[in-house]
Amino acid sequence: MRDRRKFLKAAAATAAAASFPAPLFAQARDKVVVSWLPIMQTFGYYVAIEERLFEKHGIELESVRFQAPNQIIDSLVSGRADAGAPGAAAGISVLAEVQFPGTFKVFGLQGGGIKVNRINDGLIVANSSPIASFADLKGKSLGHLPGIQWKTMSRHVVRQAGLDPDKDVRLTELAVGLQVQAVVAGTVDATLSLEPVGSIAVALGEAKRALTNPMSKAVFDPFYSGVSLLTTKFMKERPAVAKRFVEAVDEGTALAEGNYTKYREILPKYTAVKPEQVGIVAQPYLRAWKDLDETDLASYQAFVNVFRSDGVLKQDFDIKPFILKEQDLAT
């Protein structure tokens, strides 16, 4: 009788193991340190966490939240993190790669666009403001995310509007969580903001988008300011783990793209979006590694070229070698 009970117990354990993917059932998982920013471009990563896709692929996350794009890149360059979640700064990544060649590989792009009807960025102003374009900012202030990326892009759109970014407009760095209140309080006259800032501004009823997707008009449509990153150190030392990490993010990206209405309920957990604002938050445009095409690469190249033309990037940079290849993850 005792042997029968032992057999049945063992059989039940075997059946339970068979009902889960092997990495999920396994007790030991590979730790991966990931840096992320609380913006909509990171949405695929949020979904991957909620659906336990990293556990499915045998990965234990140490997920580190930052408030400024340059902090994410600093964490990767210094070796404190293995990967940058979707939404890492596309431009700062290139600048860091030029300064420290062979540091990163890009395996995803995030943004928005006019043709795809996805909002990535906006010119945010108070409801009572007469500002309707960047040309209206002469003698006024424009807030933007901290760091060289959004300072460069702000200078670019201001210059395109016929203004001198050094003389006509005061550029001010503002963290994501401070941008709406700065506009409403009048601390700045406008902000060039990533989602969900625009959606939150509209939901509050005290601010609005004077322009929607201005970067798609100024640079390329669609426009990607976010990337997913792996450090080459992580890839070389643990290629199999890096590959599983990419697979988990790609799966989360696919779910986020295909089921936005379902998954947007998780946004308050990760961003400044409040539960009552979830229904009006704009859906981002997320591109998984396996789906990247020539249009995506042309868009990223156009983005990088702005840094070159503005003098921030001192040399031409071809983004194609910067994109992750299958052979980079060969074990």
Side-chain angles (χ1 to χ4, degrees), residues 118-183:
R118 303 286 182 85
I119 300 177
N120 177 70
D121 47 81
L123 178 63
I124 312 302
V125 301
N127 276 347
S128 59
S129 173
I131 295 170
S133 70
F134 289 98
D136 296 329
L137 289 173
K138 187 169 185 177
K140 301 186 183 300
S141 56
L142 176 67
H144 59 82
L145 273 169
I148 190 64
Q149 173 162 311
W150 284 99
K151 179 180 180 181
T152 300
M153 303 316 289
S154 296
R155 289 174 59 85
H156 179 69
V157 292
V158 164
R159 190 180 291 110
Q160 279 197 338
L163 302 179
D164 186 334
D166 295 313
K167 298 178 181 178
D168 296 329
V169 181
R170 299 185 303 277
L171 298 180
T172 303
E173 295 190 346
L174 287 170
V176 175
L178 300 177
Q179 292 182 1
V180 173
Q181 66 187 63
V183 168

Side-chain angles (χ1 to χ4, degrees), residues 64-226:
V64 185
R65 174 173 171 163
F66 291 100
Q67 286 295 331
N70 58 300
Q71 294 173 328
I72 291 180
I73 306 305
D74 287 344
S75 73
L76 298 171
V77 171
S78 65
R80 290 181 286 118
D82 302 306
I92 302 177
S93 303
V94 169
L95 296 176
E97 178 68 15
V98 169
Q99 187 174 359
F100 307 101
T103 300
F104 310 113
K105 288 292 182 181
V106 168
F107 69 95
L109 295 170
Q110 304 84 38
I114 298 166
K115 293 177 183 176
V116 296
N117 195 30
R118 303 286 182 85
I119 300 177
N120 177 70
D121 47 81
L123 178 63
I124 312 302
V125 301
N127 276 347
S128 59
S129 173
I131 295 170
S133 70
F134 289 98
D136 296 329
L137 289 173
K138 187 169 185 177
K140 301 186 183 300
S141 56
L142 176 67
H144 59 82
L145 273 169
I148 190 64
Q149 173 162 311
W150 284 99
K151 179 180 180 181
T152 300
M153 303 316 289
S154 296
R155 289 174 59 85
H156 179 69
V157 292
V158 164
R159 190 180 291 110
Q160 279 197 338
L163 302 179
D164 186 334
D166 295 313
K167 298 178 181 178
D168 296 329
V169 181
R170 299 185 303 277
L171 298 180
T172 303
E173 295 190 346
L174 287 170
V176 175
L178 300 177
Q179 292 182 1
V180 173
Q181 66 187 63
V183 168
V184 173
T187 307
V188 294
D189 296 295
T191 60
L192 175 57
S193 298
L194 290 173
E195 281 295 311
V197 174
S199 293
I200 293 172
V202 172
L204 288 174
E206 297 178 333
K208 62 186 178 182
R209 296 185 187 94
L211 293 172
T212 299
N213 281 334
M215 303 314 301
S216 288
K217 300 170 185 174
V219 181
F220 198 95
D221 186 25
F223 174 77
Y224 303 107
S225 57

Side-chain angles (χ1 to χ4, degrees), residues 193-310:
S193 298
L194 290 173
E195 281 295 311
V197 174
S199 293
I200 293 172
V202 172
L204 288 174
E206 297 178 333
K208 62 186 178 182
R209 296 185 187 94
L211 293 172
T212 299
N213 281 334
M215 303 314 301
S216 288
K217 300 170 185 174
V219 181
F220 198 95
D221 186 25
F223 174 77
Y224 303 107
S225 57
V227 294
S228 311
L229 292 172
L230 294 177
T231 66
T232 50
K233 180 177 183 292
F234 175 36
M235 291 160 46
K236 289 176 180 178
E237 293 180 355
R238 298 186 292 163
V241 180
K243 184 175 182 179
R244 298 201 309 270
F245 178 79
V246 170
E247 289 171 348
V249 173
D250 265 14
E251 288 178 26
T253 299
L255 289 175
E257 270 289 298
N259 301 276
Y260 179 66
T261 302
K262 171 185 176 181
Y263 288 112
R264 65 185 176 184
E265 300 297 328
I266 68 174
L267 288 172
K269 184 174 179 179
Y270 298 94
T271 72
V273 174
K274 293 181 170 56
E276 63 271 20
Q277 299 168 343
V278 163
I280 56 89
V281 176
Q283 181 177 0
Y285 188 44
L286 311 176
R287 300 292 286 167
W289 176 49
K290 62 182 179 59
D291 295 327
L292 295 180
D293 59 25
E294 289 302 315
T295 298
D296 298 325
L297 300 187
S299 174
Y300 193 11
Q301 187 66 63
F303 179 88
V304 171
N305 291 347
V306 171
F307 284 76
R308 182 73 172 103
S309 63
D310 201 64

